[in-house]
Amino acid sequence: MSAPTLELEIADITESAPEVSTLTLKHPEGRVLPSFTPGSHLVLECSGKANAYSLISDPVMPTSYQISVLRIHEGSGGSRWLHERQPGERLTARPPRSAFAPQLKARKQLLIAGGIGVTPIFSHLRAAAAWGIPVEVLYAHRPGHGAHCDELKTLAPGRVRCLDSRAEFAAAFAEAVIRQPIGTHLYCCGPEPFMDIVVGTARGAGWPPGRIHTERFGIDALDPGDPFEVVLTESNQKFTVPSGISLLEALEKKGFDIPNLCRQGVCGECVLPVRTGAVLHRDHFLTEEEKESDEQMMCCVSRAREEELEIAL
Amino acid sequence: MPTLEQTSVPAWAVATAGMPLDRVAARAALVTFASDQEPRRTWGQELDHAGIPYDLIDLSEASKADIRQAVGLLIDSASVGFRLMLHGPLAPVLAARAAALEHSLLDEEIIVCTTEVSEIPLYCVHCTGESVVRAAIDDVVTCLHCGTDLLVYYHVSRRQGSFLGFKHDAEAYELTGAGEAA
Amino acid sequence: MTTTAPPLERDLVETFPFPFPQDTYRYSTNVEPAGKLVPTPAGQWGASMLHVDSEYHHELDERAAILQRDPSRQQVLPHMRPAAWDAMLTLMQELGTAYPREFTLTRDDDGTFTWINRKQGIEQRFTYADETTLPEPETGPLGFIGSQVQEDIALLDQREGQLFVDAGIITFAADWSFGFDVGMSFLEIHGPVPRVHDMGVIARAQTFLMRLQPSTPYRRTNWTLTIGRRLDVSTEVYHEWGPDRGWIQTTDDQTFGASVHLRVEVQHLVRLPDSGAVMFLIRTYMLPLEQLARIEPWRARTHAVLQELPEDMADYKGFISYRDRAVAWLESQAPSS
């Protein structure tokens, strides 16, 4: 299933906000790059790790890709590594993947961004502007840390509000959520607690789940989780996965070579067959029915709901 | 014939049935095509009880074109949080659902209660005319537009708001007694 | 009266996508990555997503005539406009890659595109998402590209956890009505197919399609039997082709072998990159039994499959009334030992 990789050359690096670098990537021979769906991400190999970044540039037969990378100090190091790159250097990427696509039937788009979650929202806004779809943007960010505000406002004059206080954002969203014409779809990307508030508020205002779309991805780490026991039925092993260590990491330490790509529960590569035990599914790959059946799990993010899991490995 | 749950035929199109209202709705419109059945008794009371404001709209005398237009206008002036509740015989309910979907409502925003399913809207695939006829799945009825005898198929178009009908004996072939109907 | 089939162009046999990998056939989620070349006893098929063969002009003339008679075979619900543009550009790129001598798509410095189709003598400069830059703005990008590829095209919108067939140009439907079905969900459209629901085939196929990524298209085959080289066996004209199923039982053996065709659909499943819609390409191939029987492995395999096929499947596929005759006919063509 794995698609071939793309070699990309860094054509330009600019600072879009403090700690946010925008990288322009091109094919080394200037060839046209694959088109992508607004809201897609590019998985980049960052010094041995794979990190996903939302594409913010023009999606149709583009000659360059742009991503904006927030430097995360406590992260796994991928964003720090990217911040140290220089123009002319090359990166390896997987072709764009879409998991946060615009709804073609939307009559209007209400786009809600928190912090660096502005990147897929930027992409959605670009598409809405290109196809003439009415749009309204609320972007919450820390004072002085709003990335791409000017570009957003140029794409949709008078339809973008960049808000740098929580109270201001909460008031603006509470007002906006109750007056959207039917046919509007809401898209939200930001830190998990931010999105929980947005989704909760919209649901409280009678929004059906089908009109609410979130990108829970790559913003901040999942909570470390409780330790649990793992029994490997094929190789006859038993060990504990401590809090803060993923099952994938634990298996790698034991010498297992598990296929994996995003390590964030999105790509589906690291699926493992579960024999017994209740899984705390934290991925965005398996369907709800698959999660309920507890027959498989994404070992990069998911853990045991109770003390023990039996894996057919 | 597979069980109908796995087809395009909604359960409420073959037997009268009502869906529960959505208690998180911010507002609703209760459109009835059977004023004599007093929808207030059922959904109306429940809506009142749940504290969901609603408009009661009686379209029992309206034609299919009028239904489509009225439902379209109703939806175009609504805000997200709105639910459309359709109450009455199958034919106008299917017509209203088609208009609602065309005006970008989601399935989960449309709540249906049928009070009568013995008359069905039937689309003739050969002449594209629609006949409202007293019939059930697998019956053969005559198209009111082109006169073809149509088999009522277990296939319902959400967009047309009707059952599919096609020539029931199209495979008959008469030639010196050798033909047969499949 | 005895009918003999007109001679077939050789390429139609050599590139025929014979669909049976084994002696029994059941519905399955039989998808495989696109672009894999499949050798057959007569030649090979499958190198590219789009296939141009010696029927190119004939089939496209037929499509144009069908659309003239019945415009409902081509529909793009309003929200599918971006998907139609996306489909056109994707197909143009695909044609340019597979047949660079006949087709070329170039992007000019000002962002406009130039499309050249040398088979039809077309040179068209257009701007993406601007219908007025196409020769016939009212039929739009799908109408434009649909008149240049032999494949039928369906475009599926992904929403509410499902897929909906909301646009397409389907002139060669095998026993279904695109005009009636447009707007239905993937599951609804497949409602009438026997067996597949209990087996979860359609639900699995939908889950698979919803996860398709643009970089990895897939394909599958489907098949039935058709009488005569009739591409349009849609429900709309059932009254025209239905009687053939009665007539065929009255024919002599030579006419039977010349008239009954193994009809194979090669379907490509593609995630369109810009709109996120799913594109279904349906290419129809037909080979008369008479031709098929000349390739012994094909004759023997088809005989085995038809003989074993359960009644309900033969009924749904529409040849229950002449299945036994087809089996006997194929049997009669076995090489004498």
Side-chain angles (χ1 to χ4, degrees), chain C residues 7-301:
Chain C
L8 272 192
E9 291 288 340
R10 258 179 56 189
D11 72 316
L12 302 185
V13 180
E14 288 168 356
T15 62
F16 185 73
F18 187 77
F20 305 127
Q22 55 211 22
D23 282 348
T24 55
Y25 175 83
R26 292 294 182 276
Y27 293 113
S28 63
T29 316
N30 57 334
V31 289
E32 61 175 354
K36 202 181 90 203
L37 199 64
V38 183
T40 70
Q44 59 185 36
W45 67 276
S48 56
M49 201 156 88
L50 295 168
H51 181 208
V52 173
D53 65 19
S54 55
E55 297 276 276
Y56 185 78
H57 293 289
H58 165 72
E59 291 186 5
L60 290 173
D61 288 349
E62 186 157 348
R63 172 168 296 150
I66 291 166
L67 287 172
Q68 181 86 37
R69 285 196 299 272
D70 181 2
S72 77
R73 313 294 185 92
Q74 176 182 328
Q75 297 198 51
V76 179
L77 298 187
H79 64 279
M80 295 301 274
R81 197 178 142 239
W85 276 99
D86 204 2
M88 184 184 87
L89 207 60
T90 302
L91 293 172
M92 286 175 170
Q93 288 175 272
E94 208 52 47
L95 279 172
T97 307
Y99 302 97
R101 274 190 310 225
E102 281 98 344
F103 306 95
T104 318
L105 178 70
T106 46
R107 183 164 206 178
D108 307 318
D109 289 337
D110 61 357
T112 60
F113 293 88
T114 301
W115 168 244
I116 297 172
N117 173 347
R118 290 178 195 86
K119 278 187 90 73
Q120 294 183 334
I122 294 171
E123 179 165 349
Q124 183 73 29
R125 195 151 174 216
F126 65 89
T127 305
Y128 195 70
D130 182 353
E131 278 77 4
T132 63
T133 60
L134 296 175
E136 289 180 54
E138 58 285 357
T139 58
L142 201 60
F144 187 52
I145 197 64
S147 66
Q148 301 179 59
V149 296
Q150 288 165 265
E151 286 72 13
D152 273 345
I153 305 164
L155 302 179
L156 284 65
D157 182 20
Q158 186 161 333
R159 63 171 191 271
E160 300 171 63
Q162 291 194 71
L163 292 165
F164 291 86
V165 180
D166 284 349
I169 174 164
I170 307 276
T171 49
F172 308 144
D175 219 348
W176 63 291
S177 164
F178 174 70
F180 184 78
D181 284 8
V182 66
M184 282 193 199
S185 74
F186 186 77
L187 296 181
E188 286 172 343
I189 282 198
H190 292 90
V193 188
R195 289 172 181 249
V196 290
H197 301 281
D198 296 336
M199 293 157 59
V201 170
I202 301 295
R204 261 206 311 283
Q206 175 167 267
T207 306
F208 174 84
L209 287 171
M210 289 177 57
R211 287 193 185 144
L212 263 183
Q213 290 290 332
S215 50
T216 44
Y218 280 76
R219 74 176 177 216
R220 67 181 292 264
T221 57
N222 195 8
W223 67 279
T224 185
L225 298 181
T226 293
I227 298 159
R229 288 194 75 72
R230 186 191 274 273
L231 282 164
D232 177 14
V233 283
S234 61
T235 317
E236 284 90 337
V237 290
Y238 182 36
H239 55 291
E240 291 174 15
W241 54 265
D244 290 350
R245 290 178 176 173
W247 166 77
I248 196 68
Q249 296 164 72
T250 70
T251 56
D252 62 37
D253 278 351
Q254 195 181 341
T255 307
F256 188 90
S259 303
V260 176
H261 289 67
L262 177 59
R263 179 189 185 106
V264 179
E265 290 180 356
V266 175
Q267 304 175 349
H268 277 88
L269 323 169
V270 185
R271 173 72 69 184
L272 293 175
D274 175 35
S275 61
V278 171
M279 176 169 69
F280 242 84
L281 297 173
I282 308 164
R283 175 61 181 278
T284 301
Y285 298 87
M286 290 182 292
L287 193 65
L289 292 188
E290 178 188 272
Q291 285 280 345
L292 182 143
R294 290 181 202 161
I295 318 273
E296 173 52 21
W298 285 0
R299 185 209 61 81
R301 177 60 55 82

Side-chain angles (χ1 to χ4, degrees), chain A:
Chain A
M1 274 271 320
S2 291
T5 56
L6 287 169
E7 280 300 305
L8 298 172
E9 189 173 297
I10 302 175
D12 192 23
I13 302 179
T14 56
E15 190 180 70
S16 304
E19 309 268 8
V20 177
S21 276
T22 298
L23 283 72
T24 304
L25 310 171
K26 292 193 164 175
H27 190 280
E29 284 133 46
R31 275 191 233 145
V32 171
L33 296 166
S35 301
F36 60 89
T37 314
S40 291
H41 56 266
L42 198 62
V43 177
L44 290 177
E45 287 178 15
C46 305
S47 119
K49 299 186 177 64
N51 276 24
Y53 297 98
S54 294
L55 288 155
I56 60 173
S57 43
D58 183 16
V60 182
M61 288 180 75
T63 50
S64 66
Y65 287 152
Q66 275 190 338
I67 55 168
S68 284
V69 181
L70 172 69
R71 185 199 294 263
I72 299 173
H73 294 279
E74 69 278 19
S76 60
S79 68
R80 284 199 301 277
W81 184 84
L82 273 178
H83 271 248
E84 288 155 10
R85 296 307 95 206
Q86 295 295 324
E89 290 186 55
R90 291 200 180 176
L91 298 174
T92 303
R94 304 270 166 179
R97 288 182 69 90
S98 169
F100 186 48
Q103 296 287 303
L104 294 175
K105 255 192 132 174
R107 289 177 157 191
K108 179 182 172 185
Q109 301 201 349
L110 178 61
L111 303 174
I112 310 294
I116 195 63
V118 71
T119 53
I121 294 302
F122 188 2
S123 175
H124 278 243
L125 177 60
R126 194 187 283 283
W131 291 102
I133 296 162
V135 70
E136 188 171 341
V137 184
L138 296 180
Y139 173 19
H141 57 78
R142 285 184 291 149
H145 283 70
H148 303 299
C149 275
D150 292 343
E151 291 148 287
L152 298 178
K153 286 175 176 169
T154 307
L155 278 170
R159 310 301 299 161
V160 178
R161 278 181 287 171
C162 296
L163 306 160
D164 63 5
S165 91
R166 275 177 194 221
E168 232 184 321
F169 171 79
F173 181 63
E175 182 271 327
V177 76
I178 55 167
R179 59 154 171 81
Q180 296 302 318
I182 201 123
T184 305
H185 283 260
L186 186 159
Y187 305 80
C188 180
C189 184
E192 295 270 344
F194 173 82
M195 290 199 292
D196 289 345
I197 291 169
V198 168
V199 172
T201 307
R203 293 288 290 136
W207 284 61
R211 294 201 179 277
I212 304 171
H213 314 277
T214 55
E215 172 80 316
R216 299 184 175 271
F217 180 39
I219 310 300
D220 48 7
L222 290 162
D223 73 71
D226 295 327
F228 61 99
E229 296 288 306
V230 173
V231 177
L232 304 180
T233 53
E234 306 298 303
S235 52
N236 211 8
Q237 293 190 48
K238 184 172 175 169
F239 57 90
T240 305
V241 181
S243 174
I245 301 287
S246 72
L247 174 56
L248 175 59
E249 290 166 324
L251 286 166
E252 286 173 336
K253 274 186 195 148
K254 298 268 171 200
F256 287 92
D257 190 14
I258 311 287
N260 70 87
L261 201 56
C262 74
R263 301 174 80 96
Q264 298 183 72
V266 173
C267 74
E269 293 279 323
C270 71
V271 63
L272 290 181
V274 178
R275 267 287 164 70
T276 58
V279 181
L280 180 64
H281 294 283
R282 307 202 290 183
D283 66 279
H284 308 300
F285 182 79
L286 295 175
T287 63
E288 288 311 310
E289 296 88 71
E290 286 169 330
K291 286 178 182 175
E292 268 166 41
S293 77
D294 271 349
E295 284 168 5
Q296 42 191 341
M297 70 184 289
M298 295 298 154
C299 63
C300 61
V301 290
S302 298
R303 307 180 69 84
R305 191 174 289 287
E306 286 144 15
E307 282 102 65
E308 192 176 286
L309 280 182
E310 257 186 38
I311 309 281
L313 195 69

Side-chain angles (χ1 to χ4, degrees), chain B residues 2 6 8 106-107 123 125-126 153-160 162-164 166-167 170-173 178 180, chain C residues 75 77 160 164 177 179-184 188 191-192 197-198 235-236 238-239 242-243 245-247 249-250 321:
Chain B
Q6 294 154 336
S8 54
L106 309 180
D107 274 333
Y123 174 86
V125 75
H126 308 298
Y153 201 50
Y154 54 100
H155 207 37
V156 170
S157 163
R158 48 173 67 230
R159 207 171 138 265
Q160 307 274 1
S162 51
F163 282 76
L164 176 65
F166 55 77
K167 193 172 190 303
E171 297 187 15
Y173 174 74
E180 68 116 31
Chain C
Q75 297 198 51
L77 298 187
E160 300 171 63
F164 291 86
S177 164
F180 184 78
D181 284 8
V182 66
M184 282 193 199
E188 286 172 343
H197 301 281
D198 296 336
T235 317
E236 284 90 337
Y238 182 36
H239 55 291
R245 290 178 176 173
W247 166 77
Q249 296 164 72
T250 70
S321 61

